[in-house]
Amino acid sequence: GESVGLHLPTLSVQEGDNSIINCAYSNSASDYFIWYKQESGKGPQFIIDIRSNMDKRQGQRVTVLLNKTVKHLSLQIAATQPGDSAVYFCAENIDSGYSTLTFGKGTMLLVSP
Amino acid sequence: DGGITQSPKYLFRKEGQNVTLSCEQNLNHDAMYWYRQDPGQGLRLIYYSQIVNDFQKGDIAEGYSVSREKKESFPLTVTSAQKNPTAFYLCASSYRGINEKLFFGSGTQLSVL
């Protein structure tokens, strides 16, 4: 069945702190992962992606870590800013597969000045 | 929003009425998608299309219909058969395959009068 939750997990940090947002993915065959940021009332924005032949990938102020052993993905945001406040969610897929992306429910990041 | 335009931003539906949400992209992407987002939940796939004049049902297609007469356009009709249509609707596209990263529009909030 489908789980219904009106309340997302929330991470509250102070401006300037580093933030770590976690995601447990479901399919051990997944080999392509994406992080999205969604601000209130807007569409999701692509942040960074990673394929399973890598353990770590860095972007501007963001780093994604992949642990295939425990099926865990994390997004690290350095020097978090109030503009980073949003819902962050991960998506997974099989790179050579024939199915669409599977999205997680998301984590809300709240950054206080 | 990466060249994907959704309209209108807000839409109200009366009981028994069909309404159509517009989605246009100028990214020359082959694949287009419609997702539904309810508060505190992840994205649920309604329909997707990989090429013109072809589309596939997603996880929650009942009460919805789509068409793909042009590469750039993928309108979604919410029919009167959809008994709980209030949600945030997101259109997305990807360059080629359904296992690539998605680019999203800014969304349409549909509410029932």
Side-chain angles (χ1 to χ4, degrees):
Chain A
E2 180 185 284
S3 64
V4 177
L6 295 178
H7 302 288
L8 291 172
T10 300
L11 175 64
S12 297
V13 301
Q14 295 284 324
E15 182 177 3
D17 288 351
N18 295 334
S19 302
I20 300 176
I21 300 169
N22 297 305
C23 177
Y25 63 91
S26 56
N27 189 345
S28 57
S30 293
D31 55 9
Y32 179 52
F33 306 89
I34 308 172
W35 278 101
Y36 284 93
K37 172 187 180 183
Q38 187 177 23
E39 296 175 77
S40 182
K42 297 185 179 180
Q45 295 173 274
F46 170 83
I47 302 173
I48 192 168
D49 57 2
I50 188 169
R51 288 187 161 76
S52 59
N53 60 348
M54 302 174 71
D55 296 324
K56 178 180 179 179
R57 191 171 186 209
Q58 289 184 290
Q60 188 176 13
R61 275 202 311 121
V62 295
T63 301
V64 56
L65 298 177
L66 175 62
N67 184 330
K68 296 180 287 291
T69 303
V70 295
K71 295 191 291 184
H72 184 267
L73 195 66
S74 68
L75 177 71
Q76 299 179 2
I77 304 174
T80 313
Q81 302 167 2
D84 293 326
S85 294
V87 174
Y88 291 81
F89 51 91
C90 63
E92 61 180 291
N93 208 342
I94 300 172
D95 206 11
S96 58
Y98 298 94
S99 60
T100 57
L101 293 173
T102 298
F103 290 88
K105 288 185 168 51
T107 296
M108 180 171 291
L109 176 65
L110 296 175
V111 183
S112 46
Chain B
D1 292 310
I4 301 176
T5 302
Q6 288 188 241
S7 62
K9 180 69 175 173
Y10 301 96
L11 186 58
F12 297 91
R13 193 190 90 166
K14 295 179 182 177
E15 189 121 1
Q17 185 182 41
N18 293 352
V19 292
T20 298
L21 284 61
S22 170
C23 178
E24 303 277 331
Q25 54 100 358
N26 61 3
L27 301 168
N28 198 33
H29 284 178
D30 286 339
M32 296 186 74
Y33 312 76
W34 276 105
Y35 287 89
R36 170 177 172 144
Q37 188 175 37
D38 293 280
Q41 296 198 40
L43 303 180
R44 292 188 289 169
L45 182 63
I46 304 172
Y47 269 99
Y48 65 98
S49 167
Q50 297 183 73
I51 56 172
V52 174
N53 291 323
D54 186 55
F55 47 82
Q56 308 295 327
K57 291 183 179 180
D59 301 319
I60 55 165
E62 187 174 350
Y64 301 97
S65 66
V66 293
S67 62
R68 187 89 186 275
E69 297 177 1
K70 299 186 299 182
K71 186 176 184 178
E72 304 80 15
S73 179
F74 191 41
L76 172 75
T77 297
V78 184
T79 75
S80 57
Q82 173 49 247
K83 298 307 179 187
N84 183 24
T86 297
F88 191 53
Y89 290 86
L90 287 160
C91 179
S93 68
S94 61
Y95 180 52
R96 287 285 171 85
I98 60 174
N99 50 8
E100 297 180 0
K101 62 175 176 263
L102 304 184
F103 295 85
F104 287 88
S106 56
T108 294
Q109 175 64 49
L110 175 63
S111 303
V112 176
L113 288 177

